Amino acid sequence: MTTLASAPEQTATAPAATPTRTRRRGARKVTSAGPLTHVLLVLTAFLSVFPLYWTAVAASKTNAELAGTPPPFLPDADLFTNIGRAMEEAPIGLAIVNSVIVAGCITVGTVLCSTLAGFAFAKLRFRGNKTLLGLVIGTMMVPTQLAIIPLFILIAQLQWVDHLQAVVLPTLVSAFGVFFMRQFLSQALPDELLEAARVDGASTMRTFWSVVVPVARPAMAVLAMLTFLTAWNDFFWPIIALTSENPTVQVALAGLGGGYVPDTAVIMAGTLVGTLPVLVVFVVLGKQIVGGIMQGAVKG
Amino acid sequence: MATVTFDSATRIYPKSDRPAVDGLDLQIGDGEFLVLVGPSGCGKSTSLRMLAGLEEIDAGSIRIGDRDVTDAPPKDRDIAMVFQNYALYPHMTVEQNMGFALKIAGVPKSEIATRVAEAAKILDLEDYLGRRPKALSGGQRQRVAMGRAIVRSPQVFLMDEPLSNLDAKLRVQTRTQIAALQRRLGVTTVYVTHDQVEAMTMGDRVAVLKDGLLQQCDTPGTLYERPANTFVAGFIGSPAMNVITGPVVDGGVRLAGAVLPVPRERLLRAAGDGGRVTVGFRPEAVELAPEGVPVVVNVVEQLGSDAFLYATLGASDDGDVLHTADLVVRTEPRSAPAVGETVHLRVREGGLHVFDPVSQQRID
Ligand SMILES: Nc1ncnc2c1ncn2[C@@H]1O[C@H](COP(=O)(O)OP(=O)(O)OP(=O)(O)O)[C@@H](O)[C@H]1O
Ligand SMILES: [Mg+2]
């Protein structure tokens, strides 16, 4: 019986000889790009990076220098002085820590809750599944502005004004996230995989952690990135719920460079510092977004 | 090891008015290899999933050994299942895939490793233990799926068309290997396929389903020799049995002006309805003769060892044939007649099956 598989092995590999050539030719078509594509890509990359670069340039100049023609294109050594001034004017350090906590909690909460709910909506059979999902999606149509006043009254009664939980808790799960994860899982997660786990004796929770989460990982990374960015950039609710004593980055930036003439350099310096953590998150999560993780799960 | 009993087990899918599996009665012996076979949509997968606990049972019951598992969840049934598309965990290595069930059951790490290594040896997967499923060929994935089942040493193996994603040659090889492995392990196995050749070659017994109803459950030999009705007669065997309905005359049934002899007592029992009878004969149970039922040859298929004639009943002026299907006849390749020729057929001794024209049931 040890020979059980050696024989099929040969037949499995032998007929592959002919199709490889065509397949390889097809693969090259996909992986290699022409000169025009390269030019376009370089252009796009340049356009995407330029605003950030310009922020760095502007952060290292004075208002007068920026107003000159032609505008400056190279950063200056003043950058760090300006950053220092920005840090003095507003508690940027505290704001970054606060923003990391807020955006971090919101991201973890949203990704976890959305994956759990998305899995339930996509794969579990329960009464009212469709109705509940419709209700969740329906909340997306309610504008944020509408909820602000009741929310503020609630927060004030809880005496949470100027506390971080006032910003974290209301956005701990998002309808978009639930919908996004449901769509991904209903399509990417085959029912057989869940059934296999059930037959293998896994409870629903165990199946979630051992089977669903690994499969959902790329979508979770995308959702995490989007959520983190939204939470980091959120301004409307934080400026209502928080004060400049205990701000998030966006709230702190709003207080920068004030005066008769706005001090562009300081604002830009603050913005630059406030943007860096987002870049780090992008680099870290970008690696998680690997396609084809489901490859080989089902079918031959 | 255990027996499996379906006791009038019925499954009606929600929003469906017709049962997908209708009052299934089956007794599967300890260590037996039972094959469920039937055309697409006949309820094979549903029956298997009912046994696995993946599908509710709306009426009747299912027992594994002496235990009633009708309402038990899959994990309490001590079964292992091989899925049609293998359903391997994509993020786990072959080793982790095979050991997952044991890990959940809380088996110590060292024992998991031993049992996985054992299964890997049987299935010749030792070189692939560290690989992910996506780095395996279809045949290797199929073996991992088998390995995942045998590692657990369950009471019952359930397999739902495990070979349908393999190419024809590999399928034939793997078929014999699975059958041999099952015999070696002696684990009761329920195997689903829509391929009657697979069913006949692998099963100790074969259960034929149609529209959710069990047609016949018997050894491959009996299914072939004594099909219980015209459906089984047509489903088992390749090319299919010729089944024709014609009017009863003295001594037999009249086909294309000639009389095909049918034993008298069977004829009497069959001829209730308007004096007609349904007869069946396999392509290999017919021979060319100087006298007999005349047929016109349309196609001659030379296979080397055999030749198959595809023919229609010869012209008859009284229009007495009620069922004009194509007939298939196996002949010697060297003496095969030419296309367009009219030849006469005679059914060999014991090669004739008689069915009731209304109920389609076999008459002996
Ligand atoms: N989840 C479901 N909901 C409703 N009807 C279903 C469901 N699954 C199967 N059916 C129906 O039940 C019947 C039996 O299906 P089943 O999957 O058991 O067929 P099968 O014999 O396995 O066919 P195949 O050879 O094509 O796999 C079919 O008519 C099918 O349409
Ligand atoms: Mg099926």
Side-chain angles (χ1 to χ4, degrees):
Chain A
M1 271 319 283
T2 23
T3 56
L4 187 62
S6 38
E9 206 35 58
Q10 286 155 6
T11 39
T13 44
T18 11
T20 4
R21 248 177 100 191
T22 41
R23 203 181 300 151
R24 202 180 293 148
R25 200 182 299 148
R28 196 180 302 141
K29 216 179 269 169
V30 173
T31 49
S32 72
L36 185 69
T37 320
H38 274 117
V39 170
L40 276 173
L41 284 174
V42 168
L43 211 67
T44 315
F46 179 75
L47 285 176
S48 322
V49 174
F50 187 74
L52 190 64
Y53 177 73
W54 175 248
T55 310
V57 172
S60 66
K61 305 284 177 184
T62 64
N63 265 4
E65 282 170 320
L66 281 174
T69 12
F73 276 104
L74 289 174
D76 221 306
D78 282 349
L79 178 61
F80 295 98
T81 332
N82 286 343
I83 290 177
R85 276 170 55 213
M87 303 277 250
E88 263 167 42
E89 247 178 71
I92 303 264
L94 174 68
I96 288 182
V97 172
N98 279 348
S99 272
V100 167
I101 294 173
V102 166
C105 288
I106 291 177
T107 304
V108 170
T110 303
V111 170
L112 189 68
C113 295
S114 300
T115 311
L116 275 166
F119 167 55
F121 281 130
K123 295 292 171 182
L124 301 184
R125 287 186 224 160
F126 58 94
R127 194 182 296 251
N129 183 330
K130 291 242 171 68
T131 322
L132 267 178
L133 182 66
L135 215 64
V136 170
I137 294 171
T139 63
M140 281 201 273
M141 286 182 254
V142 181
T144 333
Q145 288 79 353
L146 215 62
I148 291 289
I149 293 171
L151 198 57
F152 186 78
I153 295 173
L154 187 68
I155 295 292
Q157 277 171 357
L158 288 167
Q159 311 212 317
W160 280 0
V161 175
D162 211 17
H163 285 78
L164 293 184
Q165 63 263 40
V167 183
V168 173
L169 285 178
T171 28
L172 215 45
V173 57
S174 75
F176 168 76
V178 172
F179 180 64
F180 179 76
M181 291 311 299
R182 189 205 96 100
Q183 293 306 89
F184 179 82
L185 284 175
S186 57
Q187 179 245 324
L189 182 67
D191 289 339
E192 285 89 347
L193 218 53
L194 301 173
E195 286 170 354
R198 266 178 82 193
V199 172
D200 273 348
S203 63
T204 306
M205 220 47 213
R206 180 71 194 246
T207 308
F208 179 77
W209 288 113
S210 301
V211 178
V212 179
V213 167
V215 169
R217 187 172 248 142
M220 287 166 81
V222 171
L223 184 62
M225 222 147 92
L226 292 175
T227 310
F228 190 88
L229 198 63
T230 315
W232 189 272
N233 289 339
D234 195 16
F235 176 68
F236 187 42
W237 175 241
I239 202 159
I240 294 172
L242 301 178
T243 67
S244 53
E245 302 293 300
N246 189 26
T248 60
V249 167
Q250 308 307 325
V251 174
L253 291 183
L256 268 188
Y260 193 59
V261 179
D263 188 344
T264 315
V266 170
I267 298 176
M268 288 304 189
T271 310
L272 190 64
V273 175
T275 311
L276 290 180
V278 181
L279 290 180
V280 173
V281 168
F282 262 83
V283 171
V284 171
L285 285 181
K287 282 196 185 140
Q288 292 288 323
I289 306 172
V290 275
I293 194 163
M294 279 307 297
Q295 213 185 334
V298 294
K299 290 255 164 67
Chain B
M1 310 309 113
T3 60
V4 171
T5 311
F6 285 82
D7 193 357
S8 313
T10 300
R11 172 66 177 149
I12 306 170
Y13 280 109
K15 296 192 191 105
S16 155
D17 42 1
R18 212 178 50 81
V21 173
D22 196 354
L24 180 63
D25 277 311
L26 264 183
Q27 278 81 39
I28 305 165
D30 190 1
E32 189 178 9
F33 195 120
L34 183 101
V35 178
L36 286 175
V37 72
S40 187
C42 68
K44 309 178 292 287
S45 298
T46 306
S47 311
L48 197 73
R49 293 166 54 82
M50 286 160 78
L51 176 53
L54 296 171
E55 217 59 77
E56 265 170 60
I57 295 151
D58 294 304
S61 64
I62 294 183
R63 286 194 304 281
I64 296 177
D66 300 327
R67 217 156 55 88
D68 189 327
V69 296
T70 311
D71 298 312
K75 68 179 168 67
D76 296 340
R77 297 191 180 200
D78 203 2
I79 43 122
M81 187 153 173
V82 178
F83 291 83
Q84 178 171 4
N85 53 22
Y86 316 143
L88 303 177
Y89 307 119
H91 54 285
M92 298 186 197
T93 62
V94 168
E95 189 172 9
Q96 291 164 335
N97 258 290
M98 300 212 293
F100 186 63
L102 299 179
K103 194 170 145 193
I104 288 177
V107 175
K109 274 215 173 80
S110 57
E111 196 188 329
I112 297 180
T114 331
R115 281 164 74 173
V116 168
E118 240 168 65
K121 194 169 169 206
I122 294 174
L123 295 161
D124 207 7
L125 282 170
E126 286 158 305
D127 297 342
Y128 308 106
L129 284 178
R131 288 207 201 167
R132 298 268 166 87
K134 70 174 170 206
L136 299 176
S137 74
Q140 289 161 349
R141 282 176 205 170
Q142 201 280 328
R143 266 145 48 205
V144 176
M146 288 292 299
R148 199 163 63 172
I150 62 178
V151 155
R152 296 179 45 192
S153 346
Q155 302 253 32
V156 187
F157 282 143
L158 309 180
M159 305 188 194
D160 193 351
E161 309 203 22
L163 304 183
S164 60
N165 280 322
L166 303 181
D167 65 58
K169 201 168 167 193
L170 192 54
R171 197 164 0 176
V172 172
Q173 286 170 340
T174 315
R175 177 169 95 196
T176 31
Q177 285 157 358
I178 290 183
L181 182 65
Q182 191 272 343
R183 255 128 246 170
R184 198 182 93 162
L185 299 173
V187 176
T188 313
T189 302
V190 183
Y191 184 105
V192 164
T193 178
H194 61 259
D195 179 352
Q196 57 98 9
V197 179
E198 223 168 277
M200 297 292 275
T201 50
M202 296 177 85
D204 291 325
R205 278 192 309 151
V206 177
V208 184
L209 289 176
K210 182 196 171 204
D211 297 336
L213 290 164
L214 180 64
Q215 304 292 309
Q216 189 175 6
C217 178
D218 231 314
T219 59
T222 313
L223 283 186
Y224 181 86
E225 302 281 346
R226 297 170 45 83
N229 56 38
T230 51
F231 175 79
V232 177
F235 193 80
I236 299 291
S238 171
M241 182 190 285
N242 302 298
V243 178
I244 304 183
T245 304
V248 174
V249 293
D250 192 26
V253 53
R254 192 171 63 210
L255 298 174
V259 174
L260 188 69
V262 178
R264 188 174 171 74
E265 69 278 14
R266 287 159 84 181
L267 204 55
L268 285 178
R269 282 171 49 209
D273 173 61
R276 280 178 288 149
V277 65
T278 299
V279 291
F281 45 89
R282 298 203 178 271
E284 52 272 31
V286 195
E287 57 196 356
L288 303 187
E291 290 216 341
V293 179
V295 296
V296 181
V297 178
N298 297 325
V299 176
V300 179
E301 216 175 68
Q302 286 283 1
L303 295 182
S305 58
D306 305 299
F308 285 102
L309 310 181
Y310 292 82
T312 38
L313 283 177
S316 71
D317 17 66
D318 44 10
D320 52 13
V321 171
L322 303 168
H323 187 134
T324 54
D326 268 1
L327 299 180
V328 187
V329 177
R330 189 179 75 183
T331 62
E332 278 295 311
R334 257 160 274 147
S335 59
V339 172
E341 216 174 300
T342 300
V343 294
H344 295 269
L345 304 182
R346 206 182 62 182
V347 178
R348 289 202 182 93
E349 183 70 26
L352 192 74
H353 305 264
V354 183
F355 302 97
D356 186 302
V358 179
S359 71
Q360 309 277 303
Q361 294 302 309
R362 175 184 192 83
I363 291 166
D364 280 314

